[in-house]
């Protein structure tokens, strides 16, 4: 089971770490896009989002307080869904469909991240192939 969980952690974290790279290497473009969506302080939000993505992604990947890392990812994903993918405001059918897909993808990933919080907190130090145990304890 430890190897299966490790493979899952690698696959899950890859999405967030690759996205974090964009937050730091294309900050100006991403901030302009966030600003066009009405995100306040878009440059700071882009960089802050990048920090959450790196911290959460590395935490889950390396197994360093992975429960906290998964929580950080959920904290990133939920506001992102509502602020960046407000499909209900779109009038063009194709744009509305694309934003709806992105909205529900973000919510589904947030749900998976919250399940990981519970999983890591429940297994605690019993889960192998991690550098530390969980920060939270849900016994």
């Amino acid at each position: 089971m430890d190897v299966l969980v490790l493979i899952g952690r690698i696959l899950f974290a890859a999405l967030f770490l690759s996205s974090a790279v964009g937050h730091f290497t294309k900050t100006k473009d991403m901030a302009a896009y966030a600003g066009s969506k009405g995100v306040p302080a878009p440059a700071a939000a882009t960089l802050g989002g990048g920090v959450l993505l790196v911290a959460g992604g590395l935490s889950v990947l390396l197994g360093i307080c992975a429960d906290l890392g998964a929580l950080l990812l959920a904290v990133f994903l939920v506001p992102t869904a509502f602020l960046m993918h407000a499909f209900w405001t779109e009038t063009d059918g194709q744009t509305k469909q694309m934003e709806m897909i992105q909205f529900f993808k973000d919510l589904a990933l947030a749900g998976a991240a919250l399940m990981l919080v519970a999983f890591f907190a429940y297994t605690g130090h019993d889960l192998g192939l991690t550098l530390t145990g969980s920060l939270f304890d849900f016994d």
Side-chain angles (χ1 to χ4, degrees), residues 7 16 27 44 46 51-52 76 91 93 105-106 110 117-118 120 130 137:
I7 292 169
F16 301 108
T27 304
T46 300
V51 169
L52 288 172
F76 169 80
T91 55
K105 174 196 60 99
D106 282 357
V117 171
F120 291 130
T130 59
D137 182 12

Side-chain angles (χ1 to χ4, degrees), residues 5-16 61:
V5 173
L6 175 61
I7 292 169
R9 288 184 5 233
I10 292 167
L11 295 174
F12 191 71
L15 170 69
F16 301 108
L61 176 68

Side-chain angles (χ1 to χ4, degrees), residues 30 37 127:
M30 292 185 86
K37 294 287 194 166
L127 184 63

Side-chain angles (χ1 to χ4, degrees), residues 23-56:
H23 279 71
F24 294 120
T25 61
K26 297 179 182 350
T27 304
K28 186 177 180 179
D29 293 337
M30 292 185 86
Y33 181 63
S36 76
K37 294 287 194 166
V39 173
T46 300
L47 291 173
V51 169
L52 288 172
L53 290 167
V54 166

